[in-house]
Amino acid sequence: MTPARRRRRAASITHLWAREVLDSRGRPTVEVDVGLSDGSLGRASVPSGASTGRHESRELRDGDETRYGGFGVRLAVRNVTDTIAPAVIGRDPFDQPGLDRRLIELDGTADKSRLGANAILGVSAAVARAAALAEGVPLWRYLSRTAPALPLPMVNVVSGGLHATGGLAFQDFLILPIGAASYSEALEVVYAVRAAAGDLLAERGLSVLKADEGGFGPALDRPEAVLDLLVAAIRRAGRRPGDDVALALDVAASHFFEDGAYRLPDRPAPMPSEDLVDRLESLVDGYPIVSIEDGLAEDDWEGWAVLTRRLGHRVQLVGDDLFTTNAARLERGIEAGAANAVLVKMNQIGTVTETIDVLERARAARYGTVVSARSGETEDSFLADLAVGTAAGQIKIGSLAQSERLAKYNQLLRIEEELGRDAPFVGAAALASASRLVG
Ligand code: PGA
Ligand code: ZN
């Protein structure tokens, strides 16, 4: 049974505090505490990307090389305590849109660079948490504007790109347990395939050291070698590739796009968009790939339209750096027929309200939605609740490893328990909505 919404008691924000804590790369990040007049306390901490899109909101870093190599966030912390707190104390914590509008106004820049998207998101998310507590409902319920559902996990098994040092140009090789009937069953399948992949790597004398998101970072350089490994791992785990477990890629192509062309290590000559689309098409022909993220670079709009025409009827095409959880960029994509799904990362845009607006706009346009973590994460599990409350359908947190990832996977297990035996689980249906769009 889903807990019913309680009647809201009047409350106001009485206390706002921030501190510097460390993320999963050991780098500083912002943590915010919010206190309400009824005694409720909300806390949130902010993640950080490594392969960040050019159009993301800006996180504010101190740049003082004598501390944490310049990654300190004391300026952002001070912006919370000295600038945001006086403007927010006394406000109604249940008016999240009003609060987020006030934060945007207070910052005054298009990319939140004055106060820092890290400062702003910390406050926005901590207030939502405090308000949920004050209302006496779980966060997923507080955030929901639709029937809640547990998402299908897209789980990183092998990492390349800017998250690893093995030599792979593509960033993420993921598995999707599309045959699972529930979220908890999905995790069991992922565990088995991931363990088999580790065994296969070890048998071949390849490294099983972990990359930033807990995936393996072997010294392989061709995507086909990784995809072959994953298909073999699925079989060794006793599952059927394409039926029980499908594959997905995050190409993260922006980072190897230079001077109008794509540069892959196994192809010495720079390639135009069409050649990379050919390459991706041959991968889709040869492997049970159902989703490709950032197959082309963040500003290659024409290429994206070609990619979507060519592959959008067969696979989900997810815009991450392309959209940066930004409503205006998503709108442009919808109009141009670019991608058929959006990756949603709260810190790319910087407030809870703007994030939910992007999820709702995508759904209205029948774009698929994937709520995503960053490569630098904390123990904060807000995005698990966000994915359930908005029935996003898919979630991408990294590998089934490391506590900053498991904080989210485990929160989803708790929510599944809370929702009861018949907890709605989106499963493979999440992918259908995206590829139905084109073709
Ligand atoms: P990032 O990578 O958090 O380093 O940006 C995640 C992704 O590209 O999906
Ligand atoms: Zn990505």
Side-chain angles (χ1 to χ4, degrees):
M1 271 303 291
T2 50
R5 258 183 209 283
R6 290 216 199 130
R7 268 249 313 278
R8 279 176 185 169
R9 290 162 291 165
S12 63
I13 298 172
T14 52
H15 180 84
L16 188 64
W17 191 245
R19 67 182 64 81
E20 194 180 62
V21 295
L22 302 184
D23 73 11
S24 54
R25 279 191 276 253
R27 282 184 194 159
T29 190
V30 178
E31 179 171 87
V32 175
D33 289 353
V34 174
L36 305 185
S37 52
D38 73 341
S40 305
L41 177 75
R43 173 173 291 167
S45 52
V46 177
S48 178
S51 73
T52 48
R54 192 187 304 167
H55 305 284
E56 295 191 22
S57 295
R58 299 275 158 237
E59 51 179 35
L60 189 62
R61 298 277 181 190
D62 299 341
D64 166 7
E65 298 284 341
T66 65
R67 290 187 72 245
Y68 291 111
F71 286 108
V73 291
R74 283 181 173 170
L75 291 173
V77 163
R78 205 173 313 140
N79 285 343
V80 174
T81 55
D82 296 5
T83 307
I84 298 177
V88 156
I89 286 173
R91 287 191 72 98
D92 173 6
F94 300 117
D95 178 16
Q96 188 78 38
L99 171 91
D100 290 339
R101 263 198 310 279
R102 181 78 186 101
L103 293 172
I104 291 165
E105 199 180 87
L106 204 59
D107 173 77
T109 67
D111 58 3
K112 301 188 176 68
S113 53
R114 191 173 85 86
L115 298 175
N118 43 355
I120 292 170
L121 178 62
V123 174
S124 181
V127 169
R129 265 235 172 79
L133 279 171
E135 193 172 301
V137 294
L139 181 60
W140 58 265
R141 177 96 193 135
Y142 181 73
L143 297 173
S144 74
R145 300 183 196 169
T146 182
L150 287 152
L152 175 72
M154 314 177 78
V155 183
N156 175 301
V157 176
V158 171
S159 291
L162 299 177
H163 293 170
T165 52
L168 285 163
F170 294 2
Q171 181 176 285
D172 291 350
F173 296 81
L174 308 110
I175 56 171
L176 278 65
I178 54 171
S182 67
Y183 170 73
S184 45
E185 188 189 324
L187 288 193
E188 291 174 29
V189 174
V190 167
Y191 176 90
V193 176
R194 187 174 178 277
D199 291 347
L200 287 166
L201 286 170
E203 284 165 21
R204 294 176 198 178
L206 286 161
S207 167
V208 290
L209 287 176
K210 310 291 189 299
D212 282 6
E213 297 191 358
F216 301 117
L220 295 167
D221 61 0
R222 301 191 69 243
E224 289 84 352
V226 182
L227 295 167
D228 286 334
L229 174 96
L230 292 182
V231 167
I234 294 167
R235 291 217 171 90
R236 185 180 280 205
R239 266 77 182 192
R240 296 162 301 163
D243 293 316
D244 299 320
V245 185
L247 303 180
L249 297 172
D250 180 1
V251 176
S254 302
H255 81 91
F256 57 83
F257 184 71
E258 238 185 85
D259 302 326
Y262 296 88
R263 289 151 204 276
L264 288 174
D266 60 343
R267 295 266 179 105
M271 299 192 282
S273 314
E274 286 75 12
D275 290 10
L276 184 50
V277 173
D278 288 344
R279 181 83 197 264
L280 295 173
E281 186 171 43
S282 77
L283 294 176
V284 171
D285 288 340
Y287 298 93
I289 293 171
V290 293
S291 178
I292 300 176
E293 177 180 332
D294 281 352
L296 294 173
E298 56 204 346
D299 289 311
D300 187 2
W301 288 100
E302 281 175 26
W304 267 97
V306 173
L307 171 68
T308 309
R309 274 200 303 277
R310 294 259 306 270
L311 291 180
H313 60 290
R314 299 174 64 188
V315 292
Q316 172 174 261
L317 297 169
V318 188
D320 171 13
D321 292 353
L322 178 70
F323 295 137
T324 56
T325 317
N326 179 308
R329 290 186 67 85
L330 175 61
E331 211 54 56
R332 180 171 174 185
I334 292 166
E335 249 156 55
N340 56 27
V342 57
L343 201 79
V344 174
K345 294 165 165 169
M346 292 208 295
N347 80 323
Q348 280 184 325
I349 190 64
T351 64
V352 172
T353 304
E354 289 168 289
T355 304
I356 294 178
D357 286 350
V358 163
L359 280 157
E360 296 208 322
R361 179 65 189 111
R363 173 173 299 118
R366 298 178 65 219
Y367 269 47
T369 50
V370 183
V371 169
S372 172
R374 302 305 306 243
S375 50
E377 272 293 335
T378 71
E379 59 273 34
D380 192 310
S381 58
F382 195 109
L383 64 92
D385 286 75
L386 178 72
V388 174
T390 59
Q394 296 164 85
I395 195 163
K396 181 178 172 235
I397 305 170
S399 208
L400 208 60
Q402 305 177 174
S403 295
E404 81 281 5
R405 315 280 146 201
L406 296 169
K408 286 78 163 169
Y409 286 119
N410 288 342
Q411 175 66 359
L412 290 168
L413 285 171
R414 289 180 206 109
I415 298 174
E416 182 180 52
E417 180 187 322
E418 226 172 335
L419 280 166
R421 216 161 52 94
D422 302 319
F425 169 63
V426 179
L431 293 151
S433 85
S435 41
R436 227 184 12 240
L437 253 183
V438 189

